[in-house]
Amino acid sequence: MSVFTGTLTADLLLGDVHSLKGKRAVVRPIVAELRRRFAVSAAEVGDQELHRRALVGLATVSGDAGQVADVLDACERLLAERPEVTLLSTHRQLHSDTD
C-alpha cells in the first residue's frame, strides 16, 4: 500500500483590484471553493503584499497516484475558468511515500 501526495502552486493575476481588501474578496472565495469541491488543503501562500497577484497552494493525498493527478487537474481547470483571475502559471509535484 502506497501513499501519494500532490501539490499545486498557481500564480494568479487578479482583475480590477486596487487594494489588499479587494484582493481578499477575490482570493478567499476561490480558496474556499477549492476546499469545498475537491477536499484539498488550500491557502494563499505568497504575494500577500501585492494587490493584483496571488500565489495559491493546494495539496491532496490518496492511495492512488492517478486520483491525485485527477484532483490536481480539476483544481487547475477551476482556476483557469475563473473570470476574475488570469492563471499565469502552475507548478505541480507528486510524491510517493517510497520516494
Side-chain angles (χ1 to χ4, degrees), residues 19-86:
S19 68
L20 293 177
K21 185 176 180 179
K23 175 184 181 175
R24 283 192 306 272
V26 172
V27 174
R28 280 186 182 172
I30 292 171
V31 169
E33 184 174 2
L34 286 166
R35 290 174 180 165
R36 186 182 73 253
R37 285 185 60 188
F38 303 111
V40 296
S41 295
E44 183 180 1
V45 296
D47 294 333
Q48 282 97 345
E49 71 286 352
L50 302 175
H51 66 271
R52 292 210 54 226
R53 294 288 289 272
L55 192 62
V56 173
L58 58 95
T60 187
V61 178
S62 177
D64 177 19
Q67 173 66 22
V68 170
D70 290 346
V71 169
L72 296 180
D73 288 344
C75 290
E76 188 171 342
R77 274 194 306 275
L78 181 141
L79 293 168
E81 293 170 355
R82 294 297 293 239
E84 68 273 28
V85 300
T86 301

